[in-house]
Amino acid sequence: MKRIVTVFGTRPEAIKLAPVIIELQRHVERMENLVCVTAQHREMLDQVLDWFQIKPHIDLDLMKPDQGLPEFVSDALLAVHKMLRELKPDLVLVQGDTATVMVTALAAFYLHIPVGHVEAGLRTRELYDPFPEEINRRMAGVLSTYHFAPTARAAAALRAEKIPEQNIFFTGNTVVDALLMTVNRPLASRLDVAEDGHRRIILVTAHRRESFGAPFESLCLALNDIAERNHDVQIVYPVHLNPNVRDPVFRLLGGHERISLINPLRYEQFAHLMSRAYLILTDSGGIQEEAPVLGKPTLVMRATTERPEAIEAGTARLVGTDRGRIVAETERLLSDASAYSRMACAGSPFGDGHAAERIVNALLGRL
Ligand code: UD1
Ligand code: UDP
């Protein structure tokens, strides 16, 4: 019997690992499946654990308000290392590019425990963009043995970095599995935002560290312009719990009739809101992958993206954080029906909803 410990800490990691954990549970006779959360996020993580009914075996409960990177990374390195030393797994599974992922891969490396990296091979090749995720995922890649690439482009990036071919698995992105599992289940409670069916919903999220300061203020001012100039739209913005996000957002956008600033939504509520939205404006990684599955045109408010597949497919456009550009691109999609429908119909390049199955099959074959 092999022991796998899956370690994660934030909302997106939980969403993208939930299908893998559920799939691993179907093979308990061959693999013991333990779940450890660092709780780098607390409330936003717990919402996802609750929806997918995942009960962690170990909760390190590390989040502190307004945590700095060095503080979280050093606390987490010690705590994860101690946990892995005690559990002695045959494999550690991580996902993505957060501090939790980088630290867990490093702790496992110190203990000579092989690591499987889900969503491997995403790259912008920019040191500070996105910050610190580009380096987190590159470090996780260097420290991992098994690499689960969500797209052909990601697999090619890993090959170019001389990862042995037999350790690269092209699986699709597990976010598609999670989304399909979610939108196919009815909501337990009514979604009480944006009930006014007359206005088109523009769904917004933004939380990236490299945008803090002037770029973030610029994108907030763009949202204000859009709401001022377009009386038939309602901007709905579930605001990330990071105080560096909440402070400027509430200061610059609070109180506008056509801007609803709300708390982070439970995943199933957010997924249903995405499917009701007319358009999505975001800097999120995961939402860039989900929106094409639901046929929602997306404007990516970032300078670079490690997910160019959606842009190449035509479902997303990279618009940066410039106020005028965001307003112009949004108004184009509000007024030009054919430009809108070209984006809405372009299709998803991120997978078929069976990524978790492929990952677990690869693990069954190799452990
Ligand atoms: C983290 C990840 C980022 C990922 C994002 C997803 C790092 C360095 N950053 O960024 O890659 O895209 O999560 O959302 O790993 N907070 C709460 N409750 C929560 C979550 C956050 O109060 O449930 C607040 C806390 O004050 C916390 C702060 O947000 O200290 C920042 O959280 P942190 O995980 O360090 O950074 P994020 O910006 O969330
Ligand atoms: N999401 C959610 N509730 C919200 C906003 C987003 O459940 O209020 C989900 C979204 O569907 C996606 C994930 O959170 O799956 C993206 O997380 P985030 O944007 O925080 O991180 P990133 O993907 O940028 O790392």
Side-chain angles (χ1 to χ4, degrees), residues 24-25 30 56 75 97 103 109 111 116 125 162 174 189 230 233 236 245 254 263 285 288 318 334 340 345 364:
L24 280 169
Q25 270 319 105
R30 287 188 57 193
D75 289 353
D97 54 19
V103 156
F109 168 73
L111 293 164
R125 311 254 174 239
K162 309 281 183 252
T174 54
S189 57
N230 299 277
V233 306
V236 181
V245 173
N263 278 330
Q288 290 178 62
L318 194 63
L334 289 172
Y340 180 89
C345 298
L364 286 167

Side-chain angles (χ1 to χ4, degrees), residues 95-113:
Q95 191 285 336
D97 54 19
T98 67
T100 290
V101 179
M102 186 271 285
V103 156
T104 302
L106 185 60
F109 168 73
Y110 286 156
L111 293 164
H112 291 246
I113 302 168

Side-chain angles (χ1 to χ4, degrees), residues 5 62 105 107 140 157 243 274 284 337:
V5 179
L62 292 172
M274 270 195 292
S284 161

Side-chain angles (χ1 to χ4, degrees), residues 197-330:
H198 301 300
R199 292 187 186 152
R200 290 183 284 184
I201 296 171
I202 299 182
L203 181 57
V204 175
T205 78
H207 69 84
R208 303 231 75 86
R209 267 166 214 263
E210 67 275 7
S211 297
F212 290 172
F216 209 87
E217 302 222 339
S218 164
L219 75 82
C220 285
L221 293 172
L223 297 175
N224 190 64
D225 291 347
I226 293 164
E228 279 291 297
R229 292 159 52 128
N230 299 277
H231 289 227
D232 68 329
V233 306
Q234 184 72 31
I235 292 178
V236 181
Y237 183 171
V239 188
H240 195 290
L241 294 179
N242 191 338
N244 299 297
V245 173
R246 293 181 84 78
D247 293 352
V249 168
F250 282 94
R251 178 167 45 81
L252 294 166
L253 300 175
H256 197 295
E257 186 206 346
R258 285 184 295 283
I259 303 179
S260 311
L261 301 179
I262 58 175
N263 278 330
L265 289 169
R266 288 174 60 86
Y267 180 54
E268 68 277 19
Q269 294 188 328
F270 188 79
H272 282 263
L273 186 57
M274 270 195 292
S275 57
R276 281 178 40 199
Y278 179 79
L279 178 65
I280 297 176
L281 269 58
T282 191
D283 66 8
S284 161
I287 296 169
Q288 290 178 62
E289 295 155 341
E290 292 167 333
V293 178
L294 301 172
K296 300 298 169 180
T298 304
L299 299 179
V300 181
M301 300 185 292
R302 293 173 48 175
T304 62
T305 180
E306 60 289 89
R307 294 163 170 95
E309 293 89 344
I311 289 161
E312 286 159 7
T315 73
R317 284 171 76 91
L318 194 63
V319 300
T321 53
D322 177 74
R323 179 177 179 177
R325 172 103 197 266
I326 294 172
V327 175
E329 295 274 3
T330 301

Side-chain angles (χ1 to χ4, degrees), residues 343-363:
M343 286 182 81
C345 298
S348 162
F350 293 113
D352 60 0
H354 296 282
E357 235 170 274
R358 293 189 190 96
I359 290 166
V360 173
N361 283 339
L363 292 175

